[in-house]
Amino acid sequence: MKRGFLAAAFAALVVPSIAVAGTTTLVPGVRYERQVRLIGGSGVVLHILRAPRHGGLHWLRPVLSNGTVLGRETVPTMERRVSRRATVAGVNGDFFRFDTGQPTSVFLRDGVLANRPHPKRSSLGIAFDGRLVVNRFAYSGSWQAAGYVEHPLEEFNRRLRHPPGVALYTPKWGGVTPRGRTVRDVVLKSFPRVLPNGYQTGKVVGVRRGGGTTVPRGGAVLQARGSWSDVLVREARPGTLVTVHISLRNLPGDVADAIGGGPLLVRNGRAAAAPSSNTVSMWASSSRRRPPSATGRPPTRRPTTMSPRGSAPGWGRWRSTSHPPASKRAWHRSATRFTPSVV
């Protein structure tokens, strides 16, 4: 599975408990707790992980399923894959498309961008000093062929939803570029990894029609649709240098890891404003909602992550449209709380 955090989880976390089933120390400093709480007259099981602040021997890191934007992978499989380097405990992350595995929002690890943020959803950034930064990291991009003016880059590792336009695909995409009748692909070589707020330059080595291009290792593909196809082919000829700039506004300079999800429900120990109707309707669009996860930092500065157990059609839809308990207890008086949406 992919990554994510959903407001639905918070409603489940702030109502009175029915019972505490027990606490287990997984490794020194990391505890697992199983609780049962009453939600709408029914018992909901919560799985809770409490860990030290990020840094030193304990790290809070996002993990991308299969190492690519496309594709799905179960959490246990992901844990086994990274457990060769460390002892791992994890939960689902950002909500994603069930058919393709495409995450909804940002994925940033070690300063390398794999997926851009959603404009209407908060994201979680993990700073070098262990701070959890919750904000909307606004995306903008541009591309420019040598000798020509700069043009907008509408998408990054994501299919263009509203052509015409231009999108960039890197090896982190994990598949061939989208196909289409008016599509033109420009293949770049010697293209560095995409670092937010930086400039990356590659050399054009080929032009293809119709899409379906495999992104080369150490390269990238610029894809144009509609009227932008003629512009891209005319300016980005073979042998031309093309420079791409991708900006994430509001991303602090000391944040090298970030994951999508949202929204922010608790700020400085108080319930935050309700999410926008656009955000809620997007969550409610999926009848395959599964129990969501949530993470945050209580006043003790020990990050806490939890996920409910079980699933049923409409469960997440019902949670995502009401948050009255959050205003009463603000989920254990957390300083910061962020919800990942999961399937």
Side-chain angles (χ1 to χ4, degrees):
M1 292 187 178
K2 294 280 182 189
R3 319 145 287 285
F5 298 49
L6 173 69
F10 287 102
L13 300 173
V14 294
V15 295
S17 294
I18 298 175
V20 176
T23 301
T24 303
T25 298
L26 303 179
V27 295
V30 180
R31 292 184 292 123
Y32 164 74
E33 185 177 315
R34 183 178 182 273
Q35 294 184 6
V36 182
R37 294 179 178 268
L38 185 65
I39 307 294
S42 301
V44 175
V45 178
L46 302 179
H47 301 278
I48 303 171
L49 286 174
R50 303 185 191 276
R53 180 170 176 155
H54 171 77
L57 295 177
H58 300 88
W59 285 20
L60 178 64
R61 306 294 305 275
V63 177
L64 187 63
S65 73
N66 306 292
T68 59
V69 171
L70 298 181
R72 293 183 289 130
E73 191 177 21
T74 64
V75 171
T77 301
M78 296 166 69
E79 290 175 330
R80 285 192 293 269
R81 176 159 53 85
V82 301
S83 63
R84 292 170 295 189
R85 300 188 297 272
T87 301
V88 179
V91 297
N92 291 299
D94 192 8
F95 181 60
F96 61 93
R97 287 181 59 95
F98 201 82
D99 55 346
T100 64
Q102 171 98 43
T104 300
S105 194
V106 68
F107 187 90
L108 176 73
R109 182 178 168 108
D110 295 329
V112 179
L113 188 65
N115 203 59
R116 67 156 178 81
H118 191 282
K120 295 184 178 179
R121 302 187 70 184
S122 297
S123 298
L124 175 69
I126 306 166
F128 296 138
D129 64 359
R131 297 185 345 268
L132 299 184
V133 180
V134 180
N135 207 339
R136 293 184 180 181
F137 305 137
Y139 163 87
S140 63
S142 65
W143 66 276
Q144 182 177 16
Y148 292 91
V149 299
E150 192 176 60
H151 301 296
L153 183 71
E154 282 81 6
E155 281 293 359
F156 170 71
N157 279 345
R158 187 183 298 266
R159 185 184 182 93
L160 281 164
R161 294 183 59 189
H162 304 291
V166 178
L168 176 72
Y169 298 93
T170 68
K172 284 292 184 182
W173 170 244
V176 298
T177 59
R179 292 179 169 86
R181 186 174 56 84
T182 64
V183 167
R184 298 294 183 273
D185 285 350
V186 167
V187 182
L188 307 174
K189 78 169 186 177
S190 302
F191 192 85
R193 297 179 299 175
V194 174
L195 309 180
N197 305 319
Y199 292 85
Q200 290 79 39
T201 300
K203 186 176 182 180
V204 178
V205 294
V207 178
R208 293 192 55 175
R209 294 173 176 265
T213 303
T214 299
V215 181
R217 180 177 298 182
V221 175
L222 275 173
Q223 181 176 95
R225 286 176 174 262
S227 59
W228 277 102
S229 296
D230 293 337
V231 177
L232 180 64
V233 172
R234 181 175 64 250
E235 298 184 7
R237 298 177 181 274
T240 302
L241 295 179
V242 176
T243 299
V244 172
H245 174 61
I246 291 180
S247 172
L248 295 187
R249 185 165 50 87
N250 300 326
L251 180 71
D254 63 346
V255 169
D257 291 349
I259 192 170
L264 174 70
L265 286 190
V266 178
R267 187 191 302 274
N268 299 324
R270 301 179 64 88
S276 68
S277 58
N278 288 338
T279 305
V280 173
S281 65
M282 180 176 65
W283 290 336
S285 65
S286 173
S287 61
R288 304 188 67 161
R289 176 68 62 199
R290 295 294 188 268
S293 303
T295 193
R297 179 181 58 79
T300 59
R301 297 183 178 274
R302 292 174 61 88
T304 302
T305 300
M306 49 186 73
S307 178
R309 173 187 175 187
S311 61
W315 190 93
R317 187 177 347 179
W318 175 75
R319 288 298 187 291
S320 65
T321 55
S322 76
H323 308 280
S327 62
K328 296 179 181 179
R329 299 196 183 184
W331 191 24
H332 303 319
R333 307 303 300 171
S334 298
T336 302
R337 288 292 180 191
F338 173 79
T339 47
S341 289
V342 294
V343 174

